[in-house]
């Protein structure tokens, strides 16, 4: 008998455990108390298994909760990222609209204080080469635009003249192009000397030459259109004098000018479609501060 038990102890133990388990199951919900043997079996044989199973269930449950929380957190983070991207996009749009409104206010300010008829336009392309300084605007013959008309930016700064026109577009020759030429005038009342303003090849500066040898022109003088060309109104701001030097062996002088407007950021313009040649631009005394709109934020 003992030899049989030794040889088959695993089978016997399994049977006893099975019987005990069935017995325990049968006892669940019974009204009577456990006897001593049942208590021993439950406390010392099955209780450790039950505790282990419960612990295992807790571990599994916590891991499942962690995984669930991670997935939820990941989804929330992605939603937050998407929301931030949307808000950044909206802020960029609002900033663009704000800047555009500021530029349009300055154009409108010029339009309201001059006796000219003007047409507003947007720049739709820039010249693709390095030899010419030309932009294309989205207004043409249908809007009353013709060649040689003056084109200005905010504050009335001269930026060029109309070169070619189609029904719905126009090419603007910028004042920095080497082909651009117009009459210039020193706006300072004590001077009022005349010269010729030209674009300079490969430079964003302007040249004013043909000034008399005794012309009263100095650095920081403001140069405006003279109105003598017949196509451009008198008094449009062109640029500020950077330096003055003798020219033509001292018989004349020339000056280097810095345009008022950065032509690389040109977006909206006004085309002056007609003007009274006897009337100057209604602007205050010409200096950089007075050209700014008062009360502008």
């Amino acid at each position: 008998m003992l030899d049989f038990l030794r040889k088959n102890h695993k089978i016997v133990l399994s049977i006893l455990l099975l019987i005990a388990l069935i017995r325990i199951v049968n006892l669940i919900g019974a009204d009577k108390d456990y006897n001593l043997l049942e208590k021993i079996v439950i406390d010392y044989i099955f209780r450790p298994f039950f505790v282990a199973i419960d612990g295992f269930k807790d571990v599994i449950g916590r891991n499942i909760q962690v995984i669930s929380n991670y997935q939820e957190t990941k989804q929330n983070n992605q939603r937050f990222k998407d929301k931030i991207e949307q808000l950044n996009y909206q802020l960029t749009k609002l900033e663009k609209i704000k800047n555009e409104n500021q530029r349009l206010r300055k154009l409108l300010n010029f339009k309201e204080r001059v006796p000219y008829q003007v047409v507003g336009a947007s720049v739709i392309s820039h010249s693709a080469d390095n030899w010419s300084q030309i932009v294309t605007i989205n207004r043409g013959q249908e809007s009353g635009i013709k060649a040689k008309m003056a084109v200005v930016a905010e504050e009335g700064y001269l930026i060029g003249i109309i070169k070619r026109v189609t029904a719905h577009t126009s090419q603007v020759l910028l004042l920095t192009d080497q082909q651009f030429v117009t009459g210039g005038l020193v706006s300072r009342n004590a001077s009022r000397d005349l010269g010729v303003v030209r674009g300079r090849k490969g430079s964003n500066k302007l040249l004013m030459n043909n000034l008399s040898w005794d012309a009263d022109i100095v650095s920081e003088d403001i140069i405006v259109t003279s109105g003598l060309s017949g196509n451009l109104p008198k008094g449009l701001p062109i640029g500020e004098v950077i330096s003055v030097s003798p020219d033509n062996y001292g018989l004349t002088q020339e000056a280097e000018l810095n345009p008022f407007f950065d032509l690389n950021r040109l977006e909206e313009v006004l085309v002056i479609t007609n003007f009274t040649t006897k009337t100057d631009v209604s602007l205050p005394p010409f200096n950089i501060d007075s050209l700014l709109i008062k009360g502008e934020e």
Side-chain angles (χ1 to χ4, degrees), residues 177-189:
D177 190 283
Q178 61 180 335
Q179 295 183 15
F180 181 89
V181 179
T182 191
L185 170 70
V186 180
S187 66
R188 185 162 41 87
N189 288 331

Side-chain angles (χ1 to χ4, degrees), residues 48-106:
F49 291 102
F50 294 154
V51 171
I53 291 172
D54 286 340
F56 181 73
K57 286 169 58 180
D58 289 341
V59 172
I60 294 298
R62 286 195 296 270
N63 288 335
I64 292 175
Q65 186 64 37
V66 169
I67 294 173
S68 177
N69 291 341
Y70 171 76
Q71 292 295 334
E72 183 178 357
T73 301
K74 184 178 180 181
Q75 292 173 357
N76 288 336
N77 286 341
Q78 187 59 48
R79 284 196 295 269
F80 290 148
K81 288 180 180 179
D82 294 341
K83 189 65 176 178
I84 290 172
E85 288 180 0
Q86 293 175 4
L87 291 174
N88 286 335
Y89 175 72
Q90 294 296 329
L91 286 173
T92 301
K93 286 181 61 178
L94 290 175
E95 186 68 20
K96 182 178 180 181
I97 293 172
K98 175 185 175 183
N99 293 335
E100 182 178 2
N101 286 340
Q102 289 177 344
R103 294 192 302 269
L104 293 177
R105 284 175 62 191
K106 293 177 180 179

Side-chain angles (χ1 to χ4, degrees), residues 67-297:
I67 294 173
S68 177
N69 291 341
Y70 171 76
Q71 292 295 334
E72 183 178 357
T73 301
K74 184 178 180 181
Q75 292 173 357
N76 288 336
N77 286 341
Q78 187 59 48
R79 284 196 295 269
F80 290 148
K81 288 180 180 179
D82 294 341
K83 189 65 176 178
I84 290 172
E85 288 180 0
Q86 293 175 4
L87 291 174
N88 286 335
Y89 175 72
Q90 294 296 329
L91 286 173
T92 301
K93 286 181 61 178
L94 290 175
E95 186 68 20
K96 182 178 180 181
I97 293 172
K98 175 185 175 183
N99 293 335
E100 182 178 2
N101 286 340
Q102 289 177 344
R103 294 192 302 269
L104 293 177
R105 284 175 62 191
K106 293 177 180 179
L107 286 172
L108 182 61
N109 179 75
F110 171 78
K111 180 179 179 179
E112 291 178 344
R113 57 191 174 129
V114 295
Y116 315 138
Q117 291 183 5
V118 297
V119 173
S122 296
V123 174
I124 57 177
S125 72
H126 291 255
S127 56
D129 57 68
N130 297 324
W131 297 276
S132 61
Q133 295 290 314
I134 295 174
V135 297
T136 302
I137 58 175
N138 64 345
R139 293 289 185 271
Q141 293 172 342
E142 294 273 327
S143 301
I145 295 177
K146 299 178 181 179
K148 298 184 179 180
M149 287 181 172
V151 184
V152 300
E154 58 192 53
E155 307 293 356
Y157 299 141
L158 180 68
I159 59 103
I161 59 172
I162 298 296
K163 184 177 182 181
R164 296 189 182 93
V165 184
T166 67
H168 302 289
T169 65
S170 301
Q171 283 188 339
V172 179
L173 181 70
L174 300 179
L175 51 79
T176 50
D177 190 283
Q178 61 180 335
Q179 295 183 15
F180 181 89
V181 179
T182 191
L185 170 70
V186 180
S187 66
R188 185 162 41 87
N189 288 331
S191 173
R192 310 300 286 180
D193 280 303
L194 296 168
V196 177
V197 178
R198 308 171 184 274
R200 304 181 70 176
K201 183 177 180 180
S203 173
N204 60 356
K205 307 298 182 184
L206 304 173
L207 178 67
M208 184 175 183
N209 58 11
N210 288 2
L211 290 158
S212 64
W213 66 271
D214 60 347
D216 182 9
I217 181 171
V218 295
S219 296
E220 300 185 0
D221 270 343
I222 302 302
I223 306 301
V224 300
T225 53
S226 66
L228 299 179
S229 64
N231 296 315
L232 304 183
K234 184 178 180 180
L236 296 177
I238 298 175
E240 180 182 11
V241 175
I242 302 173
S243 62
V244 180
S245 58
D247 188 30
N248 195 22
Y249 302 100
L251 298 177
T252 60
Q253 296 184 79
E254 65 178 19
E256 186 177 39
L257 312 182
N258 194 28
F260 283 123
F261 197 84
D262 182 1
L263 300 177
N264 292 322
R265 61 181 183 89
L266 193 62
E267 297 185 61
E268 295 91 19
V269 300
L270 290 177
V271 181
I272 299 175
T273 56
N274 75 341
F275 64 94
T276 302
T277 56
K278 295 181 181 180
T279 306
D280 291 358
V281 179
S282 301
L283 292 175
F286 288 106
N287 58 67
I288 295 176
D289 294 332
S290 66
L291 288 175
L292 300 177
I293 297 177
K294 303 302 182 184
E296 186 71 20
E297 296 179 355

Side-chain angles (χ1 to χ4, degrees), residues 20 24 36-47:
I24 293 301
L36 180 60
L37 178 59
E38 291 171 342
K39 291 179 179 179
I40 293 173
V41 171
I42 292 173
D43 288 340
Y44 295 100
I45 297 178
F46 288 101
R47 188 176 66 81

